[in-house]
Amino acid sequence: ALLNEGFKQVGAGSGGYAVYQYNFRAHKLSPISTPVLLHVAPYGPSITDVMPYYLVLEFENSADFRNKKWSNSLANLEILPHKWEGPQVLEGYCYQGAFFSTHHFAELKEMYDNQSLAYEAACKKLPVVTKMQQRQSGVPNDLPTLKKFLEAGKRSRKKKQNIREYNELQKVVTSVAKEILGLMKREKKKQGTGGQCYAPKGVVLYFEGLDCSGKSSTGGLVQAALEQAGYHVGYRQYNRPPTAEQRARPWMDRFEIPGQSSMIDLASNTTDANEEDTGHIGLVWDRGPAGDFVYGNLNELSPVEKKKKYEEFIDFDKQCREKGVLFLKLLFVTNRDSIAKTLGKRCAQKNMAKDLTTWLQACSSRSGEDGTSFAGLEAISAHIDPTDFVAFNNYERNLRIFSNFALNTDTEENPWVVVNTGDRYAARKALMRAFRSHLHDFESRGRKCCSPVPKSLPPARTPEIEINDMMKTKFTRSWRHSLLAWITLMVLLLLAYIYAENTKWDDTWFHTPRKYNISALLEDGMEDDIKLGPAVDVADIPVKKTKTSKEEKVAPTEDGPSDVLVADDIDAVSGEDIDEEEAGNKTIASEGKKNRELLPDAILKTGD
């Protein structure tokens, strides 16, 4: 492929490293060519048996303007400083024909590894069986059972979070289904009073948007609510270009709506034979008219022809309202990081499907039964194809075309619902609120079933806009993230205010303990850092008597009260007579310790 594009290999290295060169000319007639170097190196391990490649594209845009004289080259340096910048470098990864930047490929690889680890952990938790037993009962064989199987291998915190979010979404789905059933009961009670429609007889769920944006998983909640309410829901895919026979008819004729019984074959969802058929039908469009602009050739039409297509779609929307059909138009958008994660998840699921197919084949051959179905696993493998990676490269183009179609076909009677699936949980709750709002609008119109009602003309279509204006107009940030950001900011400001109010800024940060010179206090009666007042008579200081001393008194001296206490000549413990010198030593040792404890407090009380 590189040779066909004009690249020529100029070098190679170990590990499959290769260097290709391409001579780029700004104009075909330009005699000067700029070399472009492409460095290619395999980046393992492989993903679904396909090896990614690490690419570095080096575009040399500097030029040598030096002449024979060095002074001329210095002048050129001063005049054209931008000509001496280094080569421009673009690095990234190539996988399945798509180019990923470094952080986008990191998102893909991280999701792929997380799904693979969850699969390995779930396989280890399967029960151990003998050779005569079958282990086939716990092996997933389609996408829903595979997702449930992977939950067993996830961490407990993530598992609890997923269970909590799933239960909350199921409560919302059940609430919407009960609301639809309530509308059906009101309609049934008032059948003889004019045939007023409260619940729509038919619902068209039009899922449109970018690839890997969660159309099936997110929009499936609305489908589940309709099925719980008793609707018979069918499914149509319009992801292929129209045939020659369909192109000969009007453009919107190939898109079906509920009520065309000759064209729609819907199996009843009721399991009980005695259950009454409600007569309400739902239909899911997987892609539709907007896909012909993005993946077909309608975007190449002239502005006048595009305007005709837009008006034809608006007329179709109007006919649905006149027939009592709720036409819910959903446009799913997301960012490239989320698409990269979805691609990594689907690559991991494709690898799991391959492993599970081998597993089930081994189990069926051992048991001798050939009734194992592999259709669900084949659907998982077909859930991702090279067109998804091509769409990743055309992200901005596809988003711009989808947005222009939505803006030019938006009406006040039935506006588009834009679902930003960057946060899947928030997007699903917002989608259910939007669907409930459409049900209330349908009920408030109070029209009669299958009776045309004149409508005002749709507003003038907006011209095509740039992608920046489109992002500001339709794709706003989720209110959930904004609310969390404001709450976090208020909490931080409150903590800063409490800290500032309770902090004494005049005090020092570290308080050192006050030190006393005990020896100076005992000898001189003065401390280094404290100036004492009048002399204190030690005899006035109360001394606590202990059990070991019978009598204590102050020994007077010539200079005044002494700080040495004298005890009796009788030992307090043994009761024997002791020597006078020995008694004095014991008294100094024991009572001197007491004075050291009492003297500083007395000095502080009587001093300055």
Side-chain angles (χ1 to χ4, degrees):
L2 291 175
L3 295 177
N4 295 333
E5 295 294 334
F7 283 88
K8 180 177 63 175
Q9 186 173 357
V10 296
S14 60
Y17 169 74
V19 183
Y20 299 88
Q21 181 177 351
Y22 175 76
N23 294 325
F24 173 75
R25 298 178 185 271
H27 303 283
K28 294 182 179 180
L29 301 178
S30 177
I32 302 175
S33 62
T34 304
V36 177
L37 298 179
L38 179 63
H39 306 264
V40 181
Y43 183 83
S46 63
I47 301 176
T48 61
D49 299 332
V50 177
M51 181 70 71
Y53 286 92
Y54 176 67
L55 305 179
V56 177
L57 185 64
E58 183 179 355
F59 182 75
E60 183 69 38
N61 63 345
S62 61
D64 190 359
F65 287 92
R66 291 178 296 178
N67 296 329
K68 295 181 180 180
K69 295 182 179 181
W70 183 251
S71 59
N72 295 335
S73 63
L74 292 177
N76 291 328
L77 281 174
E78 296 176 356
I79 297 174
L80 301 173
H82 61 279
K83 293 293 184 181
W84 293 91
E85 296 178 355
Q88 297 179 356
V89 175
L90 176 66
E91 59 178 344
Y93 297 87
C94 181
Y95 178 73
Q96 291 280 14
F99 177 79
F100 295 86
S101 61
T102 52
H103 64 278
H104 287 153
F105 188 78
E107 296 283 359
L108 183 148
K109 191 67 168 61
E110 182 183 8
M111 180 58 71
Y112 178 83
D113 293 339
N114 291 339
Q115 292 289 316
S116 301
L117 290 175
Y119 176 71
E120 293 178 3
C123 291
K124 293 178 181 178
K125 293 182 180 180
L126 284 175
V128 179
V129 296
T130 61
K131 293 183 178 180
M132 299 302 295
Q133 296 176 345
Q134 292 185 5
R135 202 176 186 178
Q136 188 174 351
S137 59
V139 180
N141 55 4
D142 55 4
L143 186 58
T145 56
L146 177 60
K147 290 182 178 180
K148 186 177 180 181
F149 179 76
L150 292 176
E151 288 295 326
K154 295 181 179 180
R155 296 182 178 180
S156 58
R157 176 182 294 182
K158 184 65 176 177
K159 190 188 304 183
K160 292 179 181 178
Q161 179 184 356
N162 293 343
I163 293 174
R164 182 176 65 255
E165 293 179 354
Y166 175 79
N167 293 336
E168 291 180 0
L169 290 175
Q170 290 303 314
K171 290 180 181 178
V172 176
V173 171
T174 305
S175 175
V176 174
K178 290 181 179 179
E179 186 173 348
I180 297 175
L181 287 173
L183 295 176
M184 290 181 179
K185 291 180 180 178
R186 290 176 57 188
E187 179 182 339
K188 188 176 181 180
K189 290 180 181 179
K190 298 185 179 182
Q191 282 183 354
T193 61
Q196 187 175 2
C197 264
Y198 291 96
K201 289 292 184 180
V203 178
V204 176
L205 303 179
Y206 176 22
F207 298 162
E208 192 61 271
L210 300 170
D211 290 326
C212 302
S213 58
K215 296 186 295 295
S216 301
S217 58
T218 304
L221 296 176
V222 183
Q223 179 180 350
L226 293 176
E227 290 177 349
Q228 290 184 17
Y231 278 76
H232 307 314
V233 182
Y235 192 81
R236 294 293 181 269
Q237 284 186 339
Y238 297 107
N239 51 4
R240 295 181 180 180
T243 61
E245 181 182 356
Q246 292 173 344
R247 284 194 295 266
R249 295 184 298 172
W251 175 47
M252 293 299 298
D253 283 359
R254 70 186 183 101
F255 300 104
E256 304 172 9
I257 61 173
Q260 298 174 352
S261 58
S262 59
M263 302 178 64
I264 300 180
D265 183 16
L266 298 175
S268 178
N269 296 334
T270 60
T271 56
D272 190 359
N274 298 325
E275 187 175 352
E276 184 179 358
D277 189 2
T278 59
H280 294 76
I281 300 175
L283 191 61
V284 177
W285 289 4
D286 187 3
R287 298 227 177 272
D292 294 343
F293 281 81
V294 178
Y295 304 103
N297 56 357
L298 295 186
N299 192 51
E300 300 175 359
L301 299 176
S302 62
V304 177
E305 294 176 339
K306 286 183 181 180
K307 186 177 180 180
K308 292 181 180 179
K309 297 294 183 182
Y310 297 152
E311 291 177 352
E312 189 174 349
F313 180 82
I314 294 174
D315 293 339
F316 178 85
D317 188 3
K318 183 180 178 181
Q319 293 175 8
C320 290
R321 294 197 303 271
E322 293 175 352
K323 294 179 180 180
V325 176
L326 177 59
F327 188 30
L328 185 62
K329 302 175 292 186
L330 304 176
L331 179 60
F332 293 87
V333 297
T334 187
N335 50 42
R336 301 188 77 174
D337 293 342
S338 179
I339 295 177
K341 290 181 180 180
T342 305
L343 289 174
K345 180 178 67 175
R346 291 185 180 181
C347 287
Q349 292 175 353
K350 182 178 180 180
N351 198 24
M352 297 173 197
K354 180 181 178 181
D355 182 65
L356 291 172
T357 301
T358 305
W359 192 347
L360 292 176
Q361 288 176 351
C363 292
S364 61
S365 62
R366 185 177 62 182
S367 60
E369 298 179 359
D370 296 334
T372 306
S373 175
F374 300 97
L377 297 178
E378 292 175 356
I380 296 176
S381 300
H383 201 201
I384 184 171
D385 52 22
T387 58
D388 295 328
F389 293 92
V390 175
F392 179 82
N393 282 342
N394 297 331
Y395 170 80
E396 293 185 359
R397 171 190 173 273
N398 296 347
L399 181 60
R400 182 173 59 253
I401 297 175
F402 276 130
S403 304
N404 285 327
F405 182 87
L407 292 175
N408 284 278
T409 57
D410 199 25
T411 60
E412 294 182 357
E413 292 80 6
N414 188 23
W416 278 83
V417 178
V418 180
V419 185
N420 189 347
T421 57
D423 186 352
R424 295 289 177 91
Y425 176 68
R428 289 166 182 173
K429 296 190 72 174
L431 173 59
M432 297 307 295
R433 289 195 299 268
F435 178 59
R436 181 174 290 175
S437 176
H438 276 69
L439 287 176
H440 293 167
D441 293 341
F442 185 88
E443 179 190 2
S444 63
R445 283 197 293 263
R447 69 167 53 89
K448 296 181 180 180
C449 294
C450 303
S451 61
V453 177
K455 289 292 176 182
S456 58
L457 294 176
R461 264 71 66 194
T462 57
E464 295 187 0
I465 61 175
E466 298 295 332
I467 187 170
N468 294 332
D469 298 334
M470 173 268 298
M471 296 296 288
K472 294 179 181 178
T473 305
K474 279 289 182 182
F475 311 134
T476 57
R477 189 178 181 182
S478 173
W479 65 271
R480 183 165 171 248
H481 294 88
S482 302
L483 180 61
L484 291 176
W486 277 107
I487 292 176
T488 304
L489 179 60
M490 292 297 104
V491 171
L492 292 176
L493 292 176
L494 180 61
L495 291 176
Y497 174 76
I498 294 174
Y499 176 78
E501 287 294 325
N502 293 275
T503 301
K504 297 180 179 180
W505 302 101
D506 297 336
D507 295 348
T508 58
W509 287 94
F510 301 98
H511 299 280
T512 57
R514 181 174 293 178
K515 298 180 180 179
Y516 295 95
N517 192 339
I518 303 300
S519 300
L521 289 172
L522 295 176
E523 295 177 1
D524 302 333
M526 297 291 291
E527 189 179 0
D528 293 344
D529 298 333
I530 302 177
K531 294 183 179 181
L532 302 178
V536 180
D537 191 354
V538 181
D540 297 335
I541 301 175
V543 180
K544 184 179 180 181
K545 295 183 180 181
T546 60
K547 295 181 180 180
T548 58
S549 61
K550 294 182 179 180
E551 184 180 356
E552 295 177 352
K553 51 188 173 179
V554 180
T557 59
E558 298 178 357
D559 299 333
S562 175
D563 56 352
V564 179
L565 302 179
V566 182
D568 284 342
D569 295 341
I570 301 176
D571 192 357
V573 178
S574 60
E576 299 178 357
D577 294 338
I578 58 176
D579 187 56
E580 183 178 355
E581 182 178 0
E582 183 179 358
N585 294 336
K586 285 186 176 182
T587 303
I588 293 173
S590 61
E591 301 300 335
K593 183 177 181 181
K594 297 179 181 180
N595 281 343
R596 289 187 180 90
E597 297 177 355
L598 298 174
L599 189 56
D601 294 335
I603 293 174
L604 290 175
K605 292 179 181 178
T606 58
D608 294 337

